[in-house]
Amino acid sequence: MDIFQEARITDETLDPPDWTDAEALSHRIVQDAIGYLKDVRERPVWREMPAEVRSFFTTSLPRSPAPLVEVYDDVARNVMPYPMGNIHPRFWSWYMGSSNFTGALGDFLAAIQGSNLGGGNHAAGLMDSQVVNWCKEMVGFPASASGTLVSGGSMANIIGLTVARNVKAGVDVRERGVGAIPRPLRYYASDQVHSCHRKAMEALGLGNRALRRIPSDAGLRIDMAALKAAVAEDRAAGFRPACVIGTAGTVNTGAIDDLQALAALAAEEDLWFHVDGCIGALIAIAPENGSLVAGIERADSIALDPHKWLHAPFEAGCALVRDAAAHRTSFAVTPEFLESAPRGLASGEWLHDYGLQTSRGFRALKIWMALKEHGVEKFGRLIDQNIAQARYLTGLIEAEPALELMAPTTINIVSFRHRLDGASEESLKAFNTEIMLRLQEEGIAALSDTTVQGRHCLRAAIANHRTRREDLDLAVREMLRLGREIEAAAPV
Ligand SMILES: *Cc1c(COP(=O)(O)O)cnc(C)c1O
């Protein structure tokens, strides 16, 4: 046997043994996927997994092959029927987008092309930069600004807070570390700030205490007078006030800090102005509500989340930095194995110079395709639609004596609870939690809960392009029914 013949016999590959079979199965998968989305409204939002499904996930490492059709059947039986539920029209838990079919096709094609967006001279890299440019345009950032697509808002915030640290440190913090910073840095945000900022402060080596939580006012926005006092106090005590984080849409209630006032204060006090716009930055594209985030374009850096209000399939976040040079000098490293070449594959931009990852997925395609198909104006209208739906739900709650609004509705988050006459805060919490759990377990709707100014409440965050007003009517009706049932079973 000659060596070429031998190679043909022994060289293995992951490609399908028979492309015709692969094609037939793929058609079936696409057909099932379309049916899955088309009928999503008819299925429960969420359901508990039976024991046999749970134990399916404890099977051991497969050592020998199985036909792909059987592998798919396993997925169809054990995975697809038990989703988190955020693509369902009555999912309003926490805060996330509801994905979209075009984006799913984008993820598929991105994986088929398989490109690595760490950089290089290829089309996916150019598309990645184009989507970043579109994000700048959506929030009113100048074309000269910089940015990068990352896994989500948490990473996008880390990018912004890192550049802030490096710019304000007063030493070469990349080379010498945080221990060399002459005056300890202080960051500021309201007490409503998202928990990812704590992790960011820890990861940056500054520590959680370096992020001062400033009290929020009755509207749950940062109290500007308290912020100014804190900055003055820290300066007097020898700290270096470095960065103020404004939140455009808090995760608890959707409150939007006074971005104009924060921009002005940052300029006066020589602070980096970072906006956590994971929820609200994209309101800038909404024709009716865009003015709510006026001032965001004055930020030094912004974190935004295409997997929230652009409904990109997970994961997709975006960090924008006004000063492109400051962004690049915070992350760029050129190892000998990633040097640029004058032409060819290595002549493109190294996109890994703008963040922490080296290899990067082709996140841009799913965002790009959906933006191209629908146009940014439609995404803006969908944001307005969710905000109008939240106002509608607020109206239903205010009109219903058994329910009570717990925080002002600014955008698309409604905080409320079911009343219970004469009940303590503790039993109110237990009662409302039970309503929330039964809504989930009966597959009716998914809400979450939180604590606002010390009081427990239920929370509906409507970031969902499938929600209709009738879904909100139904949810309110069912909450009242469950309230009656729970109260009748165990009166307070
Ligand atoms: C969702 C959210 C984050 C975190 O974003 P991820 O995409 O979940 O990492 C940060 N801040 C706010 C205000 C958020 O709503």
Side-chain angles (χ1 to χ4, degrees):
M1 198 172 1
D2 70 55
I3 53 164
F4 296 106
Q5 212 177 345
E6 187 180 293
R8 271 193 296 277
I9 293 164
T10 57
D11 288 355
E12 287 202 293
T13 170
L14 295 175
D15 281 337
D18 180 335
W19 282 105
T20 316
D21 286 353
E23 191 177 340
L25 178 61
S26 304
H27 282 300
R28 204 184 111 204
I29 293 176
V30 169
Q31 222 164 30
D32 290 354
I34 288 172
Y36 188 83
L37 275 190
K38 199 156 52 84
D39 300 337
V40 62
R41 177 172 282 283
E42 316 314 323
R43 291 196 302 275
V45 176
W46 177 85
R47 65 183 119 185
E48 186 55 88
M49 289 167 281
E52 65 270 21
V53 169
R54 287 187 176 276
S55 65
F56 172 79
F57 296 104
T58 61
T59 49
S60 56
L61 175 68
R63 299 207 173 263
S64 45
L68 182 56
V69 61
E70 282 175 25
V71 176
Y72 173 60
D73 283 344
D74 277 345
V75 173
R77 197 167 336 113
N78 296 297
V79 181
M80 297 310 282
Y82 306 101
M84 170 169 253
N86 52 297
I87 66 166
H88 193 283
R90 286 190 299 277
F91 182 97
W92 309 302
S93 288
W94 308 298
Y95 200 101
M96 49 189 80
S98 41
S99 197
N100 72 92
F101 182 64
T102 303
L105 292 177
D107 254 355
F108 174 73
L109 291 172
I112 289 291
Q113 198 196 51
S115 295
N116 186 330
L117 278 279
N121 180 22
H122 52 97
L126 294 184
M127 184 178 279
D128 190 278
S129 303
Q130 185 178 29
V131 167
V132 169
N133 285 337
W134 288 352
C135 289
K136 291 182 218 165
E137 200 176 329
M138 284 191 265
V139 301
F141 247 34
S144 58
S146 167
T148 183
L149 296 180
V150 290
S151 55
S154 304
M155 277 309 303
N157 280 311
I158 286 185
I159 300 281
L161 301 193
T162 303
V163 183
R165 180 197 64 183
N166 294 7
V167 167
K168 300 297 183 187
V171 293
D172 182 353
V173 78
R174 288 189 69 187
E175 200 55 45
R176 300 179 57 198
V178 288
I181 297 175
R183 285 188 298 147
L185 303 182
R186 278 284 193 260
Y187 284 45
Y188 306 85
S190 89
D191 55 15
Q192 301 295 303
V193 73
H194 191 275
S195 54
C196 73
H197 293 279
R198 173 187 174 135
K199 287 198 202 178
M201 296 303 283
E202 293 169 3
L204 289 179
L206 298 173
N208 180 41
R209 282 190 204 165
L211 174 57
R212 274 192 76 164
R213 274 73 164 181
I214 307 299
S216 48
D217 61 19
L220 295 136
R221 296 149 41 112
I222 192 165
D223 180 329
M224 289 302 298
L227 171 62
K228 283 177 197 167
V231 170
E233 183 185 277
D234 282 346
R235 224 181 266 293
F239 293 105
R240 165 74 164 99
C243 172
V244 63
I245 303 164
T247 303
T250 60
V251 69
N252 259 340
T253 68
I256 298 170
D257 287 337
D258 186 340
L259 303 178
Q260 300 284 19
L262 288 175
L265 180 75
E268 255 164 55
E269 296 281 353
D270 186 27
L271 303 172
W272 185 273
F273 178 30
H274 175 80
V275 173
D276 180 347
C278 289
I279 288 176
L282 288 163
I283 295 175
I285 63 172
E288 285 170 24
N289 291 285
S291 62
L292 289 175
V293 294
I296 195 167
E297 71 289 347
R298 296 169 69 186
D300 292 302
S301 54
I302 302 176
L304 61 106
D305 238 352
H307 64 207
K308 286 178 175 170
W309 244 334
L310 291 184
H311 305 292
F314 292 112
E315 306 164 340
C318 179
L320 298 176
V321 182
R322 173 182 305 281
D323 180 343
H327 184 193
R328 192 167 185 284
T329 48
S330 281
F331 297 102
V333 189
T334 307
E336 62 284 7
F337 54 87
L338 287 177
E339 276 185 14
S340 296
R343 301 194 314 280
L345 181 52
S347 66
E349 189 164 21
W350 289 110
L351 298 169
H352 69 74
D353 278 343
Y354 295 88
L356 294 164
Q357 292 179 251
T358 305
S359 292
R360 301 173 65 249
F362 190 5
R363 297 192 175 95
L365 185 55
K366 58 191 168 191
I367 305 171
W368 192 95
M369 283 177 66
L371 275 170
K372 272 284 201 189
E373 182 195 14
H374 298 290
V376 70
E377 289 177 2
K378 179 165 179 184
F379 283 98
R381 291 197 302 275
L382 285 171
I383 290 170
D384 278 338
Q385 177 171 294
N386 282 160
I387 294 174
Q389 287 166 338
R391 289 189 187 134
Y392 177 75
L393 176 60
T394 302
L396 294 180
I397 290 163
E398 284 174 333
E400 173 51 61
L403 301 176
E404 133 182 62
L405 200 67
M406 298 296 282
T409 302
T410 314
I411 48 171
N412 60 334
I413 300 178
V414 185
S415 305
F416 64 99
R417 71 181 174 189
H418 197 304
R419 291 183 208 264
L420 196 53
D421 286 337
S424 64
E425 285 295 319
E426 203 182 331
S427 34
L428 267 164
K429 178 173 180 178
F431 176 63
N432 276 278
T433 303
E434 188 59 26
I435 292 176
M436 173 182 79
L437 296 181
R438 291 202 196 176
L439 277 175
Q440 293 171 5
E441 284 168 341
E442 294 184 20
I444 299 164
L447 302 175
S448 55
D449 62 345
T450 188
T451 299
V452 175
Q453 289 169 336
R455 297 189 306 172
H456 176 260
C457 50
L458 300 180
R459 183 177 158 286
I462 313 171
N464 193 318
H465 61 87
R466 297 191 178 96
T467 300
R468 301 176 189 153
R469 285 179 190 218
E470 70 210 47
D471 292 311
L472 300 166
D473 293 328
L474 183 141
V476 167
R477 247 183 356 256
E478 292 290 304
M479 278 189 277
L480 295 173
R481 171 185 65 84
L482 288 166
R484 283 192 302 272
E485 285 178 17
I486 297 162
E487 218 184 330
V492 188

